[in-house]
Amino acid sequence: MKKGILIVPFMTGYGGTETVIKNLYESRKLKEQPFNLKVYSIGGSFDYSWAENVEKDIKWISNSRKVRDLYALTLMPFAMLRYLKREQPDFVISTNPVIWFLAKRILNLLGSEAPVIAWYHYSISQKPIKALFLKSADYYLAISSGIKRQLIERGISADRIFLIFNPVTTDNHLIKRTTGKTKFIYLGRLMLDGQKNLRELLTALSSVQGNWSLDLYGSEDKAEAVKNYAKTLGIYSKIVWHGFVDNPWKAVDNATALVLTSKYEGLPMVLCEAISHGVYVVSANTSTGPEDIVIPDNGKLYSLGNYEELSAILQSIVNGPRLPNQSVIQNTAQKFSPDAYIARFNNAIMKIIK
């Protein structure tokens, strides 16, 4: 059986990429796999829950970012050379541009024809990659249609790109739709500005009339500015501050709609999770991600930065139009299910290594 190596850089253990990798391996357990896939972690993690029951080799370096950066600049190429020479993989995947660049150079040095596959988890517009690194991979796994477009715009031919999305593992329990009033929910980091862009949500809500509330689930490390802005707008009393919750989807017992105002995402998993629980979603139509998830059967997209459009959508929900049936919403999450995901992932790899 052919063998692949997934090489990842240091990761805290709490991020979205870790969740995707964890879900990938959970999906692989569903049926017999056509190839082996081992993780090589260069730098390790603070928390390894993402890698439980995963075959892995860990190269721990240091808690210090400066030490890790120095290692990457000096010793990492030699460590990768030793590792790849020993393992002799049939293919290599990496989430990091520098690592997939080095992997390709090392495999060439070893006389190996094993393809190197880039698996980038961010919008390339927001987190650019130098052309030297970007174009060094043989193939690309795209987690959204927007990222596929960005790759093509940067000179990567479409036949080298495989659109696979991301897997969502969920218990699919139905979260009841709130009755008697409208309850909007937000799950994520509480940031007034920056990526999460809560200023846009609060500004839009300040014009919404009627009986509504907003429940915020997320770390309050940077929440003071959010709270002050809510007070300035006069809507502080309508907001429930839950703080960080380890498993928010078990804490949310009812909701009308989830709202996401992020300025950029790769593929916003919170939207996938929401629809898997039958929750209607409203999202900014960023350049990558939401368009692959949000359709009329499960939610509504608005133009990023357009407060008036967002406010009108939220007001229409408060006014009480009939939202899609929750079972219809749940059905739209099927393309992100572990079964559907692992079929796309395996199909891509098998076409590459055929």
Side-chain angles (χ1 to χ4, degrees):
M1 182 178 288
K2 291 194 174 183
K3 175 174 69 174
I5 303 292
L6 169 57
I7 309 178
V8 296
F10 169 83
M11 299 188 294
T12 62
Y14 314 113
T17 301
E18 294 93 313
T19 299
V20 171
I21 294 173
K22 180 179 180 179
N23 290 351
L24 164 64
Y25 277 90
E26 288 295 317
S27 301
R28 283 173 57 84
K29 295 177 184 177
L30 297 176
K31 59 184 70 175
E32 187 175 350
Q33 294 298 301
F35 51 83
N36 292 321
L37 185 62
K38 181 162 68 169
V39 171
Y40 178 35
S41 172
I42 304 177
S45 294
F46 293 142
D47 183 285
Y48 286 101
S49 58
W50 64 272
E52 289 178 1
N53 305 314
V54 171
E55 185 183 3
K56 57 189 176 290
D57 291 316
I58 299 168
K59 177 63 178 178
W60 173 253
I61 299 169
S62 171
N63 285 328
S64 166
R65 179 168 182 172
K66 287 184 178 179
V67 173
R68 293 195 302 268
D69 288 347
L70 180 62
Y71 177 89
L73 290 170
T74 57
L75 299 177
M76 185 171 74
F78 301 101
M80 287 180 59
L81 172 62
R82 287 192 299 271
Y83 187 82
L84 293 174
K85 184 176 182 180
R86 185 189 79 199
E87 293 293 321
Q88 297 185 6
D90 295 295
F91 64 95
V92 171
I93 305 174
S94 184
T95 59
N96 179 272
V98 174
I99 290 177
W100 76 60
F101 169 81
L102 286 173
K104 187 61 186 175
R105 295 298 181 271
I106 291 168
L107 289 170
N108 285 342
L109 182 65
L110 294 173
S112 170
E113 296 183 358
V116 172
I117 306 165
W119 189 23
Y120 200 56
H121 288 259
Y122 306 99
S123 164
I124 301 172
S125 296
Q126 294 297 329
K127 292 195 174 185
I129 306 170
K130 291 182 179 179
L132 175 67
F133 297 150
L134 177 64
K135 295 183 177 181
S136 62
D138 297 297
Y139 296 95
Y140 301 79
L141 302 178
I143 67 170
S144 70
S145 299
I147 290 177
K148 181 176 180 179
R149 283 197 303 271
Q150 291 176 346
L151 288 168
I152 293 171
E153 288 166 1
R154 285 157 179 78
I156 308 300
S157 60
D159 60 358
R160 295 167 60 201
I161 306 169
F162 295 85
L163 179 60
I164 62 169
F165 301 119
N166 274 337
V168 177
T169 55
T170 173
D171 61 10
N172 291 305
H173 78 273
L174 192 70
I175 292 177
K176 294 180 181 178
R177 188 167 286 164
T178 309
T179 57
K181 72 169 185 178
T182 299
K183 181 193 285 189
F184 299 113
I185 62 172
Y186 168 87
L187 279 66
R189 288 172 291 158
L190 303 189
M191 300 168 61
L192 183 61
D193 298 300
Q195 179 188 3
K196 297 304 180 182
N197 191 31
L198 281 176
R199 183 186 299 274
E200 188 149 293
L201 174 56
L202 298 183
T203 302
L205 281 170
S206 68
S207 300
V208 176
Q209 304 299 311
N211 188 12
W212 62 267
S213 66
L214 171 65
D215 282 38
L216 297 175
Y217 295 84
S219 171
E220 297 195 17
D221 294 347
K222 298 181 179 180
E224 198 59 35
V226 181
K227 292 180 179 181
N228 289 337
Y229 189 60
K231 290 173 183 176
T232 300
L233 295 174
I235 60 173
Y236 185 85
S237 63
K238 286 180 168 285
I239 301 175
V240 181
W241 309 82
H242 293 275
F244 175 79
V245 177
D246 190 45
N247 192 337
W249 290 114
K250 291 192 180 299
V252 177
D253 55 4
N254 66 88
T256 307
L258 175 136
V259 189
L260 184 70
T261 52
S262 292
K263 292 180 179 178
Y264 58 92
E265 297 279 352
L267 184 78
M269 300 303 286
V270 70
L271 296 179
C272 301
E273 293 163 353
I275 62 176
S276 79
H277 294 295
V279 177
Y280 191 77
V281 293
V282 177
S283 175
N285 191 15
T286 57
S287 60
T288 64
E291 66 177 319
D292 292 314
I293 305 165
V294 184
I295 59 176
D297 280 347
N298 62 25
K300 191 86 171 177
L301 294 172
Y302 76 94
S303 301
L304 180 66
N306 192 329
Y307 299 98
E308 295 81 5
E309 183 184 9
L310 174 57
S311 184
I313 291 170
L314 300 180
Q315 184 67 67
S316 71
I317 294 173
V318 173
N319 291 346
R322 181 170 180 157
L323 297 178
N325 184 280
Q326 288 191 274
S327 62
V328 172
I329 294 175
Q330 280 187 307
N331 285 337
T332 66
Q334 285 304 306
K335 77 174 180 179
F336 305 107
S337 70
D339 268 335
Y341 175 78
I342 201 61
R344 288 191 299 270
F345 185 91
N346 287 352
N347 181 61
I349 301 301
M350 295 307 291
K351 283 185 176 180
I352 289 170
I353 63 175
K354 62 182 184 298

